[in-house]
Each structure stands twice: as structure tokens, then as C-alpha cells.
């Protein structure tokens, strides 16, 4: 296995992009990553694109071929593969590309993720998202996606005394960070009261505890560290690329205060990178709901189990905190085009590691972690990046 | 949901038919083809097992934004229930004031309408839960 | 002749209630005088996810649980209702499956306005007596319809009861049953119509009273009994007044009727009415008690039953239906309409 580097990335604006189609988004993100990497399309050996449900959102399957075509790569006939792990599809696309480059099979690979979610009505989008959960045994009986996280939130609150205010603190912090991200869907500051007074979606989760429905795409170019030197001096190495699975249903698990897949993937990632959680300077974590961020910062080992809520409330995860979390604004404020999210997280790590995060640039950004979750924890993908 | 898909799961939806591992005795719902604990030892030994239908609320939520097939029924309570046999399952809690629902509440299965395919399609029935009598 | 009778029974009434006064408020009527006139004070309302099939299953499961009958020994399931969830597709197969009686059984849905459930009891008696089956399950259940604003709306409610008929371990022997049937169009619902129509005052004398009194008299004639021979009497209860008046005209006392008269507190459960009323009586009856029960179905007919409670009743888990009825939650008219699915 050889070391792999990321040499460029790009994201589209995230939001309700009424004028843009899925193909437009894929092309825009891909082109910006290629421009950022300073490579030519002919340098690309393969493509992996993550998408959760283009089939149901826009009636389009066969995303691999579509992405190759709109990126101008179809005449090169490169292998192009769509990967899917619900909301972790983007992270999984990078993991797949990483494996291909690390193995020596391909040299330079473009990875991406895209989701066009607003071509269906909001209710239908919610229904499609619920297919990330166990359709037969959970969604059928009335469980929604926010509902599954609400079950976990209630459990966490019961077991550790986590409060609605602590959940809200995550949203407030992420909106603050997102207000400085020009690509973010929601660039407005919110208060704890705003969150607590927003509509209840699935008790105890309010509307502002939830990430929105978003259109967007993201892309990154990876190659071997050796080859990366041909393109740039600014090398970002993938120190770890780890994936773990768990039961798709919550009922299939034995603990509800954590996402065991995150704990497992983190264990593998830290081992691969040869580092401890305390070595991580900052992280983009999968805050599809505020409770998800609280569990993530515990499961990733940044805080003790049960203390994630307190950490959020005390500002330990703020831009100037002990470990800045979701400097991009996270899924909450930046938006959550499900298939794109995993790669958009990588884009933020790149910006921070390169010192190009503008107003939200954190002081010490040498090692960053990206944590991408599929469904309610059926899949977890973790990447650790380091500027070398 | 298609008719055959609903029909196939009638034993589970109506009567909570799961499986019991003939090797370790663990009970699973929905049925499993293999026991994740005993693995190879359990192959060919997974037996049909009817859950009693009683359990305890492990955690719960009140859904205010429903999926299309529950539209008009909101708000409603969904709980993760630890069945007395040890496995978990998810279901709605009916006939219970939301203030009364709590973690640790004893519940029992009842038979309700889950969804219908419009006014012309099939009606799908299955388990929900209510406070134990 | 071998004895045949009730081996098990179970009843079910949904948890929600609406007061007659609340309905009257919406239609600008005087609730108190309507309640007094009809003898109906509140009625049961099914939840959004309840229908005749779910109520039937709940009642049937109780009957099986309380009696300890092995469901695979039930050879017939008949569900009587005028609000079957499907126009075509039996409720009885849903019930049969949900109680674990399938596949070695026969099943069918019955409809005879409010007496389809007692017709099912008679069918089961015949099958059991002739040894075609060991046990038969007869159910009467409804989530009855009434057009908003119609006089029926004050009483049309939801509930059901299930009876297991057999020869072994009988808790109440059915000594005799007779029927009285004529073509009397007092109440109907045309195919595809959401609400029934009725003949207003015509539903009384030539319809309800004619059939109920005739069937009951016919039974007593056949058995050589008089009203005082019975400890309890149950009549179909379209309102709180008709059964009282029928009792009085036949020579029964108020006390004989009261135990089985639930209409004032749950309304008219249609196919469930006589059968739930009978279950309330069985809930308190002592060995040796004699019960007369007469159903009524518009269209029109009555089935009358002469029943003697046996010693086995003492081991049967009882005091169920009135306890269940006490566990109630009131809804207002808007919620009632929502639960009934009236908002399209």
C-alpha cells in the first residue's frame, strides 16, 4: 500500500439551487476540483461518485456514467463507479478512491458526491431520506429519520442529563461558523432561544436541531503522495481512511448512547494513522442532527461519553475552542446534500489545512478528521488528513 | 408498499414471529437466518419463535413531521422497545397520553391499521403498542 | 342432545369518547334534551388506526387468552359487521391469521345491519352441533357510520365482541336460539355510499319492536319460560330507550336489563351492541344464572338466545368490559371528525 494525497477539491454553493440540475452540480464540482488540483482530465484514471438516491430524487440511476459524461471524461472511457451508503456515500467514494490509489491500481482518481434534493417536494424528500433507515421494520411503522435521532437524543438525555439547551448550542455554534462560509446554505446566526422555539419535528428535536434539505456537489482529486509532488508542494496526505458498518436498524443494536460504527471506524482510523484522538486539531463531524454531533465528539474520543453536551455548551468545540468542530458550519448550517456531504467535509479540511479558510480559519490546523455517517449509523467513514 | 411485500411479512406484523437460536437460545426479531453470536453453530438451528408481545420502553419520541403514509396521524409516539425476550423492536405507542410515556414503561402489543394504499389499495395491519394492562 | 355454548368471550371498546352534548353543540341542538330523549350520554370513537378488523382482532385475542382455547382448533371464523374495511375481501381472514387459527378453518364475513354477529353465533352453533368443527369464533364489530348532523350521529359508535362456541368447557350453555325475520326497510346503506339512510320513526314500531318482541316471545314460548325466569336480559341497543321499552312491554324489569345496557355510555356499537352487552352480563353472572339475549338487525330481523351460565364461569377471567370502558379520553367534535377520517 502506498501513501495517498489529496491535491485539490471543490464544492458548489449549497442550498436550494433551483436553476441547477444534478448534472450541472456534478460538472461544477468536478471542474473546480480539477482546476484546484491543477491537473488535466486526461490525467484521471478513474472516478468514484457518491450519491444516495438520485434514482428517487431525480429518477436517474447510473450516476457513474452520468458523472463521467458531464465532466467531459466519457470519451476517455475511464472506469466510473457510483458508490452508495446513504448519507455516507461521499465519504465512501473517497474511501473507494483511496483504496484504488493506495493499492497501485490507479494513480490519479477523482472522487465526488452529489445530491439534487429539491426537485421533489419536501415531504417526498423526507420519505426518500427515510430509506436510509430500515424500511421494513422501522420506517414502515412510522419512524422518520429525525425520529430515529430523536430516539437517540432522548436516550442520551435520560442517561447523561444532556439538555435541549446543549443540543441547541451545537446548532448555534454551527450557524455561527456557517455565517462565515460563502458556500453555506444558511448564513445567519441563531440563538439558543431560536432553536428551542422552533417547530418540534420529533421530540426532543426541533426544526433547528435538524440539517436542511440541500442541493449540492463536491469533488476531490487524489493521487499517490509520490505523484502529488509533480503537481504541488502543498501536499495533504490521507493519514487514515476507515470504514465500519452496523445494523441498519436501531433495534438491531445493543447500545443507544453512541453510534458503534463511529467508535469502530475511529479505532481503525487512529490505528492506521498511528495517532490518538488528542492529536486531532479539528474535525468535520456528521451533524445531521445536533445530537449526532454530540455523540460524534464522544464516539471519536474527543470527549468522554456523556460529556459531549457539556462540551458544546461550554464552547470547547467553537472555532477558538479546545477542538474546533464543524468549522464549515457543518451539515446544520452549510447544508446536507446527502451524497455530497462526505466530500464537502474533505473540502473544508483542505481549506483549513492550507490556511485558506478565511474568516473561519482556525489557529492550529495540522491534522484534521472528517466523520461521515450513513443513515442512523449503519455506516461510518472516517478520514484523517495531515498537511505534510 | 407492494402487496406481496406486505403479505410476506404478515406472520411478523400480525403475530411477532421471530427466530430463536437453537444453540444459545437468543431470540431475534425480525427473524434471522443466522445467529450473530453463535454464527456457524446456529446454521440450521434457527427456529420460529413467537414473541409474547410484552416489553419495556427503552427510548421514545413524538413525531410531529410524519412520512407520507402517516400523514394526518401526527403527532404520534414511536418507541424503541426492549421485548421481554431480550430483542429490541420499534413501534408506535397508541392510546397513551404523551405525558405518561416514559423510559421504563411496560407495554404490550396490540393490533392496528398501519397504512393504506390510498382509498382503493390494500390496507396494511400490524403491531403497535399500548401501556400494559 | 349434546350441549353447545360459549367457551370463551372477549370484548373491545376503543378508548376515545365524545359526549352527545358536544355533538349537539356543533349542530345547535340542545344536548341535554337529546341525551335524555335518546338515553345516550356519550359514545365510543375509534382511533384513526382502528377499524372493524382491528377491533375484531382485539376482541378475538381476548376471548382466546381468557378461555385458553388453542386457536388452531378453531374451525370457523365469522365476522359480522356493517363496516367491514373492504367491500370485497374478508375481515375474517385477517382475524383468522391474527389469532393464529389459519389455515385449517373456514371463514366468511357477515352483514345483517346490527345483528350479523349473532347470526355468526348461530352458524357456529350449527357447525359445532353437527361436529363439522370443534370451535367456532363468532364476532360482531363495527366502526359505525353516521352522516354529520344526522340523528344517528349521537349514538353511532365503535366496538366489538368475540365469542368462541364449542362443546367443551362451556361457561354458558346456549339452551336455544330462534330468529324472526321479515323484509322491513327501516335502515340501509347503498353500495358505495359513505353513510346509511333510515326511515326515522319507522325504525321503531314496525322494525325494532316488531322483530325484537316477536323473536323474544317466540323463544319464551318455545322454552316455556316467562320473564321472571331470567336473571338478565339483553336487547340490541340502538339507543338507551328502545331496550328499556322492549323490556317493559315484554314484562321484564329495569334491573334485568341494566347490567347489559351499555348504550348510554358507549353508544350503539351496531354489530357489537348485543354481544358487548351480553359480555357485560357474563362478566358478573353467577353459575346457574339464566340470560335472555335478543339482537336486532335492520332490514330486519332478530336472533334470540336462551343461555344458562355454568360452574365453569368461576374460573373465567372477568370484569373486563366495564373496566375497559372506564379507561376513556374525551375528544371534541373536530378531533372526532379527524379520527373518523372525515376531513378529505
Amino acid at each position: 500500500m502506498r501513501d495517498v494525497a489529496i491535491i485539490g477539491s471543490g464544492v458548489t454553493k449549497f442550498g436550494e439551487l433551483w436553476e441547477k440540475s444534478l448534472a450541472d452540480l456534478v460538472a461544477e464540482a468536478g471542474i473546480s476540483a480539477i482546476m484546484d488540483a491543477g491537473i488535466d482530465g486526461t490525467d484521471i484514471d478513474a472516478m468514484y461518485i457518491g450519491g444516495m438516491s438520485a434514482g428517487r430524487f431525480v429518477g436517474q440511476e447510473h450516476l457513474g456514467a452520468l458523472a463521467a459524461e458531464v465532466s467531459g471524461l466519457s470519451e476517455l472511457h475511464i472506469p466510473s463507479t457510483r458508490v452508495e451508503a446513504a448519507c455516507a456515500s461521499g465519504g465512501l467514494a473517497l474511501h473507494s478512491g483511496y483504496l484504488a490509489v493506495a493499492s497501485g491500481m490507479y494513480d490519479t482518481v477523482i472522487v465526488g458526491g452529489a445530491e439534487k434534493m429539491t426537485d421533489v417536494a419536501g415531504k417526498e424528500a423526507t420519505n426518500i431520506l427515510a430509506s436510509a433507515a430500515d424500511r421494513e421494520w422501522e420506517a414502515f411503522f412510522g419512524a422518520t429519520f429525525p425520529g430515529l435521532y430523536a430516539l437517540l437524543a432522548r436516550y442520551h438525555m435520560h442517561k447523561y442529563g444532556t439538555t435541549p439547551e446543549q443540543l441547541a448550542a451545537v446548532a448555534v455554534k454551527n450557524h455561527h461558523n456557517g455565517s462565515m462560509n460563502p458556500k453555506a446554505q444558511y448564513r445567519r446566526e441563531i440563538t439558543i432561544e431560536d432553536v428551542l422555539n422552533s417547530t418540534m419535528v420529533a421530540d426532543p428535536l426541533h426544526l433547528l436541531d435538524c440539517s436542511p434539505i440541500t442541493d449540492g456537489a463536491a469533488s476531490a482529486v487524489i493521487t499517490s503522495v509520490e505523484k502529488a509532488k509533480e503537481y504541488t508542494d502543498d501536499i495533504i496526505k490521507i493519514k487514515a481512511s476507515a470504514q465500519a458498518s452496523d445494523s441498519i436498524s436501531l433495534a438491531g443494536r445493543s447500545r443507544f448512547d453512541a453510534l458503534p460504527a463511529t467508535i469502530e471506524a475511529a479505532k481503525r482510523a487512529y490505528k492506521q494513522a498511528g495517532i490518538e484522538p488528542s492529536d486531532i486539531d479539528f474535525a468535520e463531524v456528521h451533524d445531521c442532527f445536533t445530537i449526532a454531533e454530540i455523540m460524534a465528539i464522544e464516539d471519536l474520543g474527543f470527549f468522554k461519553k456523556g460529556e459531549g453536551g457539556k462540551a458544546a455548551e461550554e464552547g470547547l468545540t467553537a472555532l477558538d475552542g479546545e477542538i474546533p468542530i464543524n468549522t464549515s458550519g457543518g451539515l446544520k448550517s452549510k447544508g446536507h446534500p446527502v451524497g455530497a456531504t462526505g466530500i464537502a467535509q474533505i473540502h473544508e479540511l483542505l481549506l483549513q489545512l492550507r490556511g485558506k479558510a478565511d474568516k473561519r480559519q482556525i489557529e492550529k490546523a495540522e491534522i484534521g478528521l472528517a466523520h461521515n455517517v450513513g443513515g442512523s449509523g449503519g455506516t461510518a467513514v472516517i478520514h484523517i488528513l495531515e498537511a505534510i | 408498499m407492494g402487496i406481496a411485500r406486505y403479505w410476506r411479512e404478515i406472520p411478523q406484523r400480525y403475530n411477532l414471529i421471530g427466530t430463536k437460536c437453537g444453540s444459545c437460545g437468543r431470540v431475534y426479531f425480525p427473524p434471522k437466518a443466522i445467529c450473530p453470536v453463535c454464527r456457524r453453530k446456529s446454521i440450521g438451528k434457527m427456529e420460529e419463535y413467537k414473541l409474547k408481545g410484552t416489553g419495556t420502553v427503552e427510548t421514545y419520541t413524538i413525531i410531529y413531521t410524519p412520512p407520507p403514509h402517516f400523514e394526518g396521524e401526527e403527532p404520534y409516539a414511536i418507541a424503541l422497545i426492549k421485548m421481554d425476550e431480550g430483542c429490541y423492536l420499534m413501534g408506535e405507542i397508541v392510546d397513551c397520553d404523551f405525558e405518561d410515556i416514559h423510559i421504563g414503561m411496560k407495554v404490550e402489543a396490540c393490533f392496528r391499521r398501519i397504512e393504506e394504499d390510498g382509498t382503493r389499495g390494500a390496507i396494511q395491519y400490524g403491531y403497535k403498542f399500548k401501556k400494559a394492562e | 342432545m349434546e350441549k353447545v355454548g360459549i367457551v370463551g368471550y372477549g370484548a373491545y371498546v376503543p378508548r376515545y369518547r365524545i359526549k352527545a352534548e358536544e355533538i349537539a353543540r356543533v349542530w345547535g341542538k340542545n344536548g341535554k334534551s337529546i341525551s335524555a330523549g335518546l338515553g345516550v350520554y356519550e359514545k365510543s370513537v375509534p382511533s384513526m388506526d382502528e377499524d372493524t378488523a382491528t377491533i375484531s382482532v382485539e376482541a378475538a385475542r381476548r376471548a382466546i387468552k381468557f378461555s385458553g382455547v388453542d386457536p388452531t382448533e378453531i374451525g370457523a371464523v365469522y365476522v359480522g359487521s356493517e363496516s367491514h374495511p373492504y367491500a370485497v375481501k374478508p375481515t375474517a381472514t385477517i382475524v383468522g391469521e391474527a389469532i393464529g387459527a389459519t389455515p385449517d378453518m373456514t371463514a366468511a364475513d357477515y352483514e345483517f345491519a346490527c345483528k350479523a354477529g349473532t347470526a355468526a353465533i348461530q352458524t357456529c352453533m350449527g357447525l359445532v352441533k353437527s361436529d363439522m368443527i370443534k370451535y367456532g369464533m363468532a364476532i360482531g364489530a363495527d366502526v359505525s357510520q353516521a352522516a354529520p348532523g344526522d340523528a344517528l350521529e349521537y349514538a353511532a359508535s365503535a366496538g366489538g365482541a368475540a365469542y368462541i362456541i364449542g362443546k367443551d368447557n362451556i361457561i354458558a350453555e346456549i339452551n336455544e336460539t330462534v330468529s324472526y325475520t321479515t323484509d322491513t326497510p327501516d335502515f340501509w346503506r347503498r353500495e358505495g355510499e359513505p353513510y346509511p339512510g333510515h326511515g326515522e320513526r319507522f325504525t321503531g314500531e314496525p322494525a325494532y319492536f316488531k322483530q325484537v318482541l316477536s323473536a323474544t316471545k317466540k323463544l319464551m314460548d318455545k322454552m316455556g319460560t316467562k320473564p321472571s325466569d331470567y336473571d338478565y336480559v339483553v336487547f340490541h341497543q340502538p339507543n338507551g330507550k328502545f331496550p328499556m321499552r322492549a323490556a317493559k312491554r315484554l314484562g321484564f324489569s329495569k334491573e334485568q336489563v341494566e347490567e347489559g345496557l351499555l348504550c348510554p355510555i358507549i353508544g350503539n356499537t351496531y354489530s357489537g351492541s348485543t354481544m358487548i352487552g351480553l359480555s357485560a352480563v357474563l362478566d358478573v353472572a353467577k353459575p346457574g344464572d339464566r340470560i335472555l339475549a335478543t339482537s336486532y338487525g335492520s332490514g330486519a330481523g332478530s336472533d334470540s338466545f336462551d343461555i344458562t351460565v355454568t360452574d365453569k364461569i368461576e374460573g373465567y377471567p372477568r370484569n373486563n368490559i366495564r373496566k375497559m370502558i372506564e379507561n376513556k379520553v374525551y375528544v371534541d367534535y373536530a378531533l372526532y371528525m379527524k379520527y373518523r377520517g372525515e376531513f378529505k
Side-chain angles (χ1 to χ4, degrees), chain C:
Chain C
M1 196 73 183
E2 253 185 309
K3 288 178 178 176
V4 62
I6 298 162
V7 176
Y9 68 95
Y12 179 86
V13 173
R15 180 177 181 243
Y16 300 99
R17 300 283 181 283
I18 187 166
K19 291 191 168 167
E21 266 184 72
E22 168 66 6
I23 297 171
R25 179 186 67 82
V26 172
W27 300 107
K29 301 264 169 52
N30 182 334
K32 283 200 165 57
S33 76
I34 285 178
S35 277
L38 287 174
V40 179
Y41 298 89
E42 56 196 57
K43 67 166 191 174
S44 63
V45 176
S47 181
M48 291 185 78
D49 56 1
E50 291 185 294
D51 61 21
T52 292
T54 68
I55 288 170
S56 298
V57 169
E58 291 294 341
R61 283 182 174 171
R62 277 169 173 75
I64 284 171
K65 186 174 147 194
F66 298 153
S67 66
V69 163
D70 175 356
T72 61
E73 293 190 329
I74 293 173
V77 174
Y78 295 103
V79 181
S81 179
E82 57 172 80
S83 54
H84 288 289
Y86 290 94
V88 177
K89 180 188 175 319
T91 307
T93 54
I94 299 170
V95 177
E97 198 78 46
I99 61 173
T102 50
D104 296 315
M105 53 169 251
T106 180
D109 284 1
Y110 277 5
E111 187 280 307
F112 191 152
C114 298
K115 84 157 194 81
T118 58
I121 291 180
Q122 291 180 326
T123 308
C124 287
M125 287 174 68
L127 293 174
V128 167
K129 271 193 172 179
S130 63
D131 285 327
M132 282 178 70
I133 59 171
K134 182 168 183 189
Y135 298 114
M137 171 78 81
I139 299 170
D142 258 305
V143 283
S144 48
Q145 308 103 343
D150 190 290
L152 292 175
E153 199 180 21
Y154 296 96
S157 69
Y163 286 78
I164 301 173
I165 306 299
K167 288 178 180 172
D168 307 334
N169 297 313
I170 292 170
I171 56 171
E173 185 187 344
I174 302 175
N175 307 311
E176 188 55 271
T177 178
V178 300
S179 296
Y180 186 89
T181 308
T182 62
D183 184 359
T184 310
D186 60 326
F187 171 104
W188 59 85
R189 182 165 63 82
R190 293 281 299 275
E191 181 71 40
E193 286 296 311
Y195 308 118
H198 55 86
E200 298 176 359
R201 291 186 61 78
F202 180 75
T203 60
E205 210 48 57
Y208 178 88
F209 291 104
K210 171 83 174 165
Q211 328 294 317
V212 168
L213 301 188
S214 302
T216 307
K217 277 183 199 153
K218 188 169 146 189
L219 182 75
M220 288 194 290
D221 283 350
K222 193 165 182 185
M223 300 303 287
T225 51
K226 54 188 185 305
S228 58
D229 292 331
Y230 297 93
D231 298 281
Y232 301 99
V233 65
V234 182
F235 294 116
H236 172 58
Q237 307 158 21
N239 52 51
K241 289 294 168 68
F242 276 23
M244 279 298 183
R245 210 178 297 159
K248 196 172 172 190
R249 282 167 67 173
L250 286 160
F252 290 92
S253 71
K254 202 174 137 207
E255 288 69 33
Q256 283 170 294
V257 186
E258 271 171 347
E259 197 60 55
L261 185 64
L262 298 175
C263 185
I265 53 172
I266 61 169
N268 179 6
T269 54
Y270 284 48
S271 300
S273 177
T274 309
M275 294 173 75
I276 300 174
L278 176 60
S279 86
V281 168
L282 290 171
D283 273 352
V284 298
K286 295 182 300 294
D289 279 352
R290 198 153 179 190
I291 305 164
L292 190 148
T294 304
S295 63
Y296 171 69
S298 289
S302 280
D303 302 323
S304 197
F305 299 84
D306 182 306
I307 298 165
T308 303
V309 177
T310 74
D311 295 346
K312 294 236 160 50
I313 194 93
E314 292 191 314
Y316 196 84
R318 296 191 291 161
N319 187 24
N320 294 302
I321 192 61
R322 285 196 184 262
K323 207 169 107 196
M324 185 184 290
I325 291 168
E326 277 167 29
N327 175 22
K328 62 188 171 185
V329 169
Y330 290 104
V331 293
D332 63 13
Y333 193 83
L335 263 184
Y336 160 72
M337 293 294 274
K338 180 183 168 186
Y339 286 0
R340 296 273 332 173
E342 296 284 355
F343 299 125
K344 306 293 178 198

Side-chain angles (χ1 to χ4, degrees), chain A residues 52 56 125-135 139 143-145 148, chain B residues 67:
Chain A
M52 175 185 162
R56 293 187 64 196
T126 307
N127 190 34
I128 294 168
L129 288 173
S131 62
D134 186 329
R135 178 66 72 178
T144 58
F145 208 56
L148 297 180

